[in-house]
Amino acid sequence: MPPVPLATSPRKRPVQARSRATVETILDGAAHILIRDGFDRATTTRIAEAAGVGIGSLYQYFPSKEAVVAALIDRHAAALTRVFDDLAPRLAGRPPAEAVAMIVAAATDAHRLHPALHRVLNEQVPRIGDMARIRDVSATITSHVARWIATLPLAPGRDPAILAVLVERSIEAVVHGALTDGHDRLPRALHDELVTMLARHLAPDTPRQDQRISKAS
């Protein structure tokens, strides 16, 4: 017998300001429970209690905890996307080292929006179909980076789309690892090595970051 699909769609969308506020409160409660108890121990009852709403109010909008978490993922993904949508126009005309440093800074800012929630969603909630929304964020970032790379004087045969994947995934891995380890941001030496490595991959004559800093001072 095939498994029953998870009910991850909301029962209804909030329209009025009061109902939107109720849904936001429920999502805040869900974030608190996920961080405190983890996904497997989260229940609609615990989420409603953390949000300070009746269970009936929760079920008015969401048929299951999976639906609540899916909406929470969607909200978190939208916040992450806004960070990079705001960055994209400012990359135009920037040299590699400067642009890469800006992307690293944006990635750090995105992770710091709600680091504990980001970690829980990535590590504990892969079963929710809407986790694809988090992956969509990566695709959005890669697309912005590819458009900027396409403006650089690349050697023939180098594909901006492939280079953008390398830049995005390298930055994501390093920033995620550093912030998961308890850092508030990338240690300066790690930041400089990352920026230098990626900038030199795009433009081999890029000076090291520490050399740029010493010249500027």
Side-chain angles (χ1 to χ4, degrees):
M1 185 175 181
V4 178
L6 294 174
T8 59
S9 297
R11 278 204 166 99
K12 69 176 185 178
R13 303 285 181 182
V15 177
Q16 297 180 341
R18 184 174 179 180
S19 59
R20 289 197 299 270
T22 297
V23 168
E24 288 298 308
T25 299
I26 292 170
L27 297 184
D28 290 341
H32 174 78
I33 292 300
L34 284 176
I35 294 166
R36 189 189 72 185
D37 300 337
F39 177 76
D40 289 333
R41 294 183 62 202
T43 65
T44 51
T45 299
R46 287 181 174 180
I47 291 171
E49 288 175 351
V53 302
I55 190 68
S57 294
L58 185 150
Y59 281 127
Q60 183 180 358
Y61 297 100
F62 302 105
S64 64
K65 78 168 184 180
E66 287 81 11
V68 180
V69 174
L72 181 61
I73 291 168
D74 190 71
R75 186 179 74 170
H76 185 59
L80 297 177
T81 300
R82 282 194 294 272
V83 172
F84 290 95
D85 285 345
D86 291 343
L87 170 69
R90 297 189 288 116
L91 293 177
R94 305 279 184 174
E98 187 176 340
V100 171
M102 292 169 66
I103 298 166
V104 171
T108 302
D109 289 344
H111 275 270
R112 292 170 67 196
L113 287 175
H114 209 322
L117 176 62
H118 191 86
R119 182 166 57 252
V120 169
L121 293 179
N122 275 282
E123 296 175 359
Q124 296 189 30
V125 198
R127 72 199 73 179
I128 302 297
D130 284 58
M131 276 304 291
R133 288 284 287 114
I134 299 295
R135 292 189 290 273
D136 287 345
V137 175
S138 176
T140 297
I141 298 168
T142 301
S143 177
H144 288 322
V145 174
R147 283 195 289 273
W148 162 68
I149 292 176
T151 67
L152 300 177
L154 300 174
R158 303 195 78 192
D159 186 345
I162 297 298
L163 293 172
V165 170
L166 175 68
V167 170
E168 189 276 329
R169 292 187 182 176
S170 297
I171 291 174
E172 166 62 20
V174 174
V175 170
H176 180 77
L179 271 61
T180 300
D181 287 343
H183 295 285
D184 183 56
R185 58 179 59 251
L186 279 185
R188 186 70 206 188
L190 181 58
H191 169 278
D192 290 349
E193 289 292 348
L194 176 63
V195 171
T196 297
M197 177 185 73
L198 293 175
R200 282 185 169 178
H201 191 69
L202 298 172
D205 59 347
T206 300
R208 286 183 55 84
Q209 285 296 288
D210 50 10
Q211 292 174 347
R212 289 166 59 89
I213 293 170
S214 62
K215 288 180 181 178
S217 59

